[in-house]
Amino acid sequence: MTIQRAAKAGFCFGVKRAIELAEKAAGTGLTASLGPLIHNQQVVDYLAEKGLEVIHSVDEAKIGQQLVIRSHGVPPETYEEAKERGITIIDATCPYVQKAQRMAASSSANSFVIVVGDKSHPEVKGILGWAGSNALAIETLAEAEDLPYYPRITVLAQTTQQKSHFFAVVEELKKHTGELIVQNTICAATEERQASARELAEKVDLMIVVGGLSSSNTRKLGSICSGKTKTYCIETAEELLEIWFTDAKITGLTAGASTPDWIIEEVYKKMSEFMEKTQIQEAEESAVKTVSTVSDEENMMENFDKGLPKLYRGAIVKGTVVKITGDEVFVDIAWKSEGMIPFEELSATKVSNINDLVKIGDTISVMVMRVENQEGYPVLSRKRANEVEAKEQLAHLAESKEEVQAVVTEAVKGGLLVDLGMRGFVPASQVETGFVDNLEKYIGKTLRLRVIEYDEYKKKLVLSQKVILAEEQEGKKEKLLETLKEGDIVKGTVRRLADFGAFVDLGGIDGLLHISDMAFSRVKHPSEIVNVDDEVEVQILAIDTQKGRISLGLKQLKTNPWSAAAEKYAVGSIVHGKVVRIAPFGAFVELEDGIDALVHISQLAEHRVMKVQDIVQVGQEITAKVIDFKPGDKKISLSIRELLTEASEASARQDLENQPEIPEVTIGEKIGNIPDTDVDTLK
Ligand code: F3S
């Protein structure tokens, strides 16, 4: 067996430079990188051991820490933020990316800048940041077709863009501008690696592709090679199996752009050991002239029969669930044996029962983790396949703001978790339009969600159901506002009480029933009149369409007791009532529901009263005389004093009337035995 390496493989110039700068900086003191330096966990772990911490925003940087900007680059605000915080920047932005940033900055002054690339990729976000507001990113030809007309356009590419796609977009852009300036900022590194992998795969019996499984770059290499020959994708040398090489005369070796040399060398070394072993075995076999049976060779070939799909590590294939055991799911992927998904590879979120995730007969996508385990089964991951497929879908959802549905798998501190191929978080404040106190009740329920934050690289996915519900409410509200009129009598449900009134849901919009419009009588708290969930009939008093506010009235639907009050409580009439309130200046007396009258302190008694409570108490029934009635002000004044005075006068009159009659006398005439002197006094 011989091993041939791809002419271009492993680290590109920009990545290599970034790692060297980061490693050097980590050796000089407190250092962090803004995001993982590259998409290779082994390298990230290696740098962490050297002292390179990974942080996700400038805010997280500690005082005195050096901050490494990775090869993707960042927008100018990041430099400013770091400067303000006194953070030292180690700028590992790839010089090719820097060139694209400079072009974006200078072109945006006199043309509209378009960047063709993945909108969620930090490199594209960074370039757009340098262009300012006179720029946008597009990913697809369809997006280019939808663009309006711009007098002048400068178009740039994400450095890893495919040339054919970039130039197809350029062709389309010509129709949308009077002047198109094309800046081809595509870096040749990715294309060179793919071209040399393709070239090598055509010549060899077996290809080994080394790189991080999460790297789309590595998966792309795997896909190119598997189209040409038998291919295995691995992350490290430990994953190599001797059996792969027994049949291969020439084996090719290539690696993704984020694979370090030392991992490639380890793989190469282990492959060489297998090669030596195979050669020794072949020599021994030929010495004893053992004839290899045709059937053995046929059996080996059977594994890679033309009818079987090209399986390689990292490939995503579709299959049908055929068996579910306690902790494994078996999937028919049209391979010589069924593939096996271990329980932990089923979903990104925790579930206690496999049957909640899949059932027999389901067609699912899976990623090949190992082509064969020791029992001969391909080892598969539904979780990782979902993750890869979800990335594309999530980027689309984040951009389009389309609604997506997902089942709640777990309630955690501060929110809910859902599985959208990637674990998504719905903060408690984003579940409903109102406050949610019990998150547990949502487990197993389907939420209607919108992506409000998605960062593929930080693996951050935040969703909201509230924004969808709020928008719908707003729509209903607008419609309802158009149909409602002041004076309408409508039905509603009391949703919430406040000290100043009750909020009544009128079928999509809440109106306020103010405490003063609940009853004609004095109401201390809305709960005296209505309770939450009560169905009520109310009148619309006012509508503010600008602010979307509606004022409601309840008392307006009842007869106003004041309308008959003039007749019932005319000045001079004697009335009965109950003292309901005492103030320093008098006592308020309820004459009937909705009509209160005042007995001023000066009208409580015939003598001077120092304190109202010395004469009357709350709850006491009294009789008084109406001495004033002002219907406009809804004021009735009563007097107890006048009644008392009248009573005293009447009593005095009565006493007088009861006195014995005095005979009429003529002056000078002697009356009986009245002495003369007494007669004089009567004169
Ligand atoms: Fe730079 Fe090209 Fe690598 S842009 S980071 S050299 S792929």
Side-chain angles (χ1 to χ4, degrees):
M1 179 178 92
T2 56
I3 303 168
Q4 287 189 16
R5 294 173 187 247
K8 296 274 181 187
F11 279 169
C12 62
F13 153 74
V15 168
K16 201 169 178 184
R17 176 176 170 270
I19 290 171
E20 281 168 8
L21 283 170
E23 199 173 353
K24 198 169 152 200
T28 62
L30 213 54
T31 311
S33 68
L34 196 55
L37 204 66
I38 63 168
H39 300 145
N40 185 300
Q41 198 51 47
Q42 286 79 20
V43 176
V44 173
D45 292 345
Y46 166 78
L47 290 170
E49 271 173 35
K50 298 265 170 191
L52 186 78
E53 196 191 336
V54 177
I55 60 170
H56 297 288
S57 69
V58 178
D59 283 356
E60 291 174 42
K62 300 178 185 87
I63 304 295
Q65 199 166 34
Q66 309 180 95
L67 190 60
V68 180
I69 303 293
R70 54 191 178 171
S71 56
H72 303 314
V74 290
E77 302 84 64
T78 307
Y79 293 96
E80 284 157 24
E81 219 182 318
K83 197 174 167 194
E84 272 170 30
R85 295 205 54 218
I87 307 287
T88 310
I89 292 277
I90 310 285
D91 197 351
T93 307
C94 172
Y96 295 129
V97 176
Q98 275 175 341
K99 191 177 159 196
Q101 291 174 344
R102 281 196 299 274
M103 283 175 175
S106 59
S107 308
S108 63
N110 54 14
S111 65
F112 189 77
V113 174
I114 291 176
V115 183
V116 183
D118 176 355
K119 293 170 201 170
S120 62
H121 196 284
E123 180 195 319
V124 174
K125 288 182 180 172
I127 296 172
L128 279 182
W130 285 92
S133 57
N134 203 24
L136 61 78
I138 55 171
E139 284 178 28
T140 63
L141 199 53
E143 284 176 82
E145 286 164 3
D146 285 345
L147 287 174
Y149 182 86
Y150 296 97
R152 200 160 192 246
I153 290 178
T154 299
V155 59
L156 301 114
Q158 182 180 356
T159 52
T160 50
Q161 271 295 293
Q162 286 206 336
K163 252 190 200 161
S164 55
H165 176 64
F166 176 65
F167 284 105
V169 173
V170 165
E171 279 308 306
E172 179 57 34
L173 289 179
K174 287 179 184 167
K175 301 173 195 161
H176 298 261
T177 184
E179 191 181 352
L180 183 67
I181 300 144
V182 182
Q183 301 285 12
N184 180 1
T185 44
I186 296 173
C187 167
T190 310
E191 212 180 308
E192 281 172 1
R193 273 151 188 73
Q194 289 177 2
S196 60
R198 191 179 293 114
E199 202 179 300
L200 182 57
E202 276 168 357
K203 299 191 295 203
V204 299
D205 308 308
L206 171 70
M207 274 300 287
I208 302 294
V209 179
V210 193
L213 273 190
S214 60
S215 155
S216 59
N217 179 283
T218 306
R219 281 205 313 279
K220 180 74 187 158
L221 286 180
S223 157
I224 290 171
C225 296
S226 73
K228 304 285 174 194
T229 189
K230 190 169 56 168
T231 301
Y232 292 101
C233 292
I234 56 167
E235 281 184 341
T236 62
E238 284 87 73
E239 293 164 36
L240 288 171
L241 293 181
E242 195 176 341
I243 191 169
W244 297 347
F245 302 93
T246 48
D247 183 33
K249 298 276 177 266
I250 314 171
T251 300
L253 174 62
T254 189
S258 49
T259 311
D261 289 349
W262 49 270
I263 292 186
I264 302 173
E265 286 317 311
E266 275 175 14
V267 171
Y268 182 82
K269 198 170 152 231
K270 194 154 183 193
M271 283 169 69
S272 304
E273 284 166 16
F274 288 151
M275 188 177 75
E276 272 173 35
K277 254 173 135 180
T278 310
Q279 279 164 353
I280 292 165
Q281 271 170 10
E282 279 173 0
E284 283 171 358
E285 279 165 10
S286 103
V288 292
K289 300 208 179 328
T290 304
V291 180
S292 173
T293 63
V294 175
S295 59
D296 279 345
E297 194 171 315
E298 278 172 351
N299 284 340
M300 294 298 288
M301 291 308 291
E302 189 188 275
N303 290 355
F304 311 106
D305 190 83
K306 291 187 201 96
L308 298 177
K310 296 262 194 277
L311 271 206
Y312 60 93
R313 194 161 181 263
I316 293 178
V317 293
K318 285 221 183 289
T320 309
V321 175
V322 289
K323 193 165 97 184
I324 300 174
T325 66
D327 53 4
E328 286 161 347
V329 170
F330 288 85
V331 184
D332 178 1
I333 52 167
W335 180 245
K336 60 176 181 146
S337 60
E338 289 151 1
M340 184 269 289
I341 312 174
F343 180 67
E344 64 278 7
E345 290 297 328
L346 272 170
S347 170
T349 47
K350 260 199 254 166
V351 271
S352 48
N353 188 350
I354 286 187
N355 295 297
D356 293 342
L357 291 171
V358 286
K359 52 185 186 308
I360 290 173
D362 281 357
T363 302
I364 56 172
S365 291
V366 285
M367 182 188 272
V368 179
M369 306 298 296
R370 285 179 71 180
V371 176
E372 276 184 357
N373 64 5
Q374 282 172 343
E375 287 85 41
Y377 293 118
V379 181
L380 311 171
S381 170
R382 175 179 178 263
K383 180 172 83 178
R384 296 191 195 206
N386 285 355
E387 241 175 61
V388 170
E389 288 185 346
K391 272 182 188 171
E392 269 182 50
Q393 174 68 356
L394 289 172
H396 169 72
L397 288 172
E399 179 67 23
S400 66
K401 303 285 172 212
E402 275 171 29
E403 179 180 324
V404 61
Q405 299 200 349
V407 176
V408 175
T409 53
E410 212 179 326
V412 293
K413 195 177 168 212
L416 301 168
L417 296 183
V418 293
D419 183 0
L420 277 168
M422 179 175 169
R423 204 168 72 153
F425 178 62
V426 185
S429 61
Q430 295 296 325
V431 179
E432 302 282 358
T433 48
F435 178 70
V436 172
D437 55 353
N438 176 12
L439 289 169
E440 299 287 328
K441 72 176 180 192
Y442 289 94
I443 296 173
K445 297 232 166 87
T446 301
L447 298 185
R448 300 170 55 202
L449 299 164
R450 182 177 296 161
V451 175
I452 53 172
E453 196 182 345
Y454 172 56
D455 192 320
E456 180 192 333
Y457 299 94
K458 291 183 193 169
K459 297 203 167 178
K460 190 173 184 187
L461 173 64
V462 185
L463 304 118
S464 169
Q465 175 171 254
K466 180 182 168 177
V467 287
I468 296 174
L469 300 180
E471 268 177 19
E472 284 181 352
Q473 270 181 14
E474 203 50 43
K476 266 191 190 172
K477 215 170 159 180
E478 275 172 26
K479 267 196 185 155
L480 211 56
L481 276 172
E482 282 168 17
T483 56
L484 294 175
K485 294 188 305 296
E486 285 179 13
D488 281 355
I489 295 167
V490 290
K491 286 197 170 134
T493 308
V494 178
R495 290 284 176 233
R496 189 162 61 90
L497 297 185
D499 286 345
F500 54 85
F503 290 92
V504 181
D505 178 6
L506 302 177
I509 183 167
D510 281 359
L512 173 65
L513 174 57
H514 196 270
I515 194 165
S516 60
D517 287 312
M518 285 186 167
F520 287 105
S521 56
R522 193 165 177 273
V523 181
K524 279 191 196 150
H525 191 267
S527 57
E528 290 171 19
I529 308 291
V530 291
N531 283 306
V532 170
D533 291 338
D534 278 359
E535 298 285 329
V536 289
E537 195 168 59
V538 286
Q539 185 167 37
I540 296 179
L541 304 181
I543 300 177
D544 183 338
T545 41
Q546 296 278 311
K547 294 180 181 159
R549 287 187 190 153
I550 299 180
S551 305
L552 305 172
L554 192 60
K555 72 178 186 188
Q556 287 75 3
L557 298 180
K558 294 179 184 161
T559 310
N560 187 345
W562 286 94
S563 51
E567 209 178 302
K568 283 162 83 177
Y569 306 110
V571 173
S573 42
I574 309 298
V575 295
H576 304 283
K578 189 161 75 174
V579 176
V580 287
R581 199 155 43 99
I582 285 176
F585 53 85
F588 288 91
V589 177
E590 185 186 65
L591 299 179
E592 65 177 277
D593 190 16
I595 297 192
D596 286 357
L598 173 70
V599 188
H600 192 267
I601 193 166
S602 60
Q603 296 297 328
L604 281 170
E606 289 181 291
H607 60 272
R608 188 155 181 263
V609 177
M610 302 305 291
K611 208 168 149 207
V612 178
Q613 287 89 336
D614 292 342
I615 307 297
V616 291
Q617 308 300 324
V618 170
Q620 186 180 335
E621 300 279 349
I622 61 142
T623 302
K625 185 181 175 183
V626 178
I627 56 168
D628 194 16
F629 179 68
K630 290 195 178 95
D633 298 338
K634 292 187 179 150
K635 279 186 180 164
I636 299 175
S637 301
L638 304 178
S639 173
I640 297 172
R641 193 183 80 180
E642 282 201 16
L643 271 191
L644 291 171
T645 309
E646 282 172 12
S648 316
E649 284 172 3
S651 158
R653 262 198 312 277
Q654 191 67 48
D655 287 350
L656 263 177
E657 280 167 17
N658 291 343
Q659 292 240 344
E661 223 174 273
I662 299 167
E664 211 176 292
V665 293
T666 308
I667 294 176
E669 188 185 342
K670 191 174 178 183
I671 305 168
N673 56 357
I674 298 174
D676 288 347
T677 49
D678 287 342
V679 172
D680 286 342
T681 58
L682 285 171
K683 283 178 192 172

